[in-house]
Amino acid sequence: MSFKDFSFDPRISAGIRAAGYTSPTPIQQKAIPVVLQGRDVLGIAQTGTGKTAAFVLPILQHLTRGPLRQVRALIVAPTRELAEQIHQASVDLGGKTRLRSTTVYGGVSKNRQIEALRRGAEIVVACPGRLLDLANDRLIDLSRVEVLVLDEADRMCDMGFLPDIRRILKLLPARRQTLFFSATMPPDIRELADNILHDPVTVQIGMMAPVETVSHALYP
Ligand code: AMP
């Protein structure tokens, strides 16, 4: 299978080439067509499998049509490092489009984040706490979100973000596409997924062995 099979906008195909990706990874092969159809997805996959591009690419494709400079895709991640990685993937893959991505997370000054939101962005990659903070102060409008991604949902629950996630969900339109990614599926995560996904397609990438793109080393 090749990236050509997805018929991406030429500007996105250029982003894929610039990133040096030659063929889609297994999770991309499975998830991209389903996300492009607008279906909800339950993705069971670890970092290192190419899952970021599996949701970023079809989101970019979706956003190439429709209004600019309003928040249309919200990606929620547990840590600022992960938020930055996802944002960077959006910038790298979507660099040839007119779409803008920005980040929202705590531990840094709010002003630059507020300023970037004022200038307008279609994609916001956020950690739950600061996102709620800005939403409570009416500095971000989530009422026009079309696609929600919850990335590393199990880690967000482990970090105690479940109540924040529920609050965020209340700020979003009920009619939206939801993509839910988790490396594991303990009962509380399963329940959250069942509650928020509508008729999802499950995409699972075998995880019996450590993923090959992550090198492992042991220092005794
Ligand atoms: P992720 O699982 O999303 O953290 O991705 C792991 C790494 O794989 C990142 O460095 C990506 O840039 C890279 N990657 C993602 N998709 C592809 C692809 N189709 N071909 C080559 N590398 C990729």
Side-chain angles (χ1 to χ4, degrees), residues 75-116:
I75 303 166
V76 184
T79 63
R80 49 182 161 160
E81 290 76 16
L82 184 60
E84 273 300 334
Q85 275 175 39
I86 299 166
H87 165 69
Q88 200 52 53
S90 307
V91 170
D92 292 344
L93 296 167
K96 305 273 190 301
T97 69
R98 293 180 60 211
L99 301 166
R100 290 189 194 153
S101 168
T102 193
T103 51
V104 164
Y105 48 70
V108 294
S109 146
K110 279 184 194 170
N111 292 341
R112 284 172 74 174
Q113 296 174 355
I114 295 167
E115 192 44 46

Side-chain angles (χ1 to χ4, degrees), residues 3 20-25 28 46-53 85 213:
F3 279 111
Y21 302 173
T22 48
S23 55
T25 66
Q28 290 163 6
Q46 290 167 307
T47 291
T49 53
K51 75 175 158 65
T52 312
Q85 275 175 39
T213 47

Side-chain angles (χ1 to χ4, degrees), residues 90-167:
S90 307
V91 170
D92 292 344
L93 296 167
K96 305 273 190 301
T97 69
R98 293 180 60 211
L99 301 166
R100 290 189 194 153
S101 168
T102 193
T103 51
V104 164
Y105 48 70
V108 294
S109 146
K110 279 184 194 170
N111 292 341
R112 284 172 74 174
Q113 296 174 355
I114 295 167
E115 192 44 46
L117 289 166
R118 279 214 185 102
R119 282 198 302 273
E122 295 76 27
I123 303 171
V124 170
V125 190
C127 296
R130 174 64 61 89
L131 178 65
L132 279 172
D133 210 6
L134 296 187
N136 289 338
D137 290 343
R138 298 187 184 280
L139 293 165
I140 182 167
D141 176 10
L142 298 176
S143 68
R144 285 182 279 192
V145 168
E146 296 161 33
V147 189
L148 167 71
V149 181
L150 293 180
D151 197 15
E152 301 204 352
D154 48 356
R155 233 168 121 200
M156 289 204 273
C157 284
D158 288 346
M159 292 168 74
F161 284 137
L162 202 50
D164 282 354
I165 304 276
R166 293 196 203 283
R167 280 184 210 114

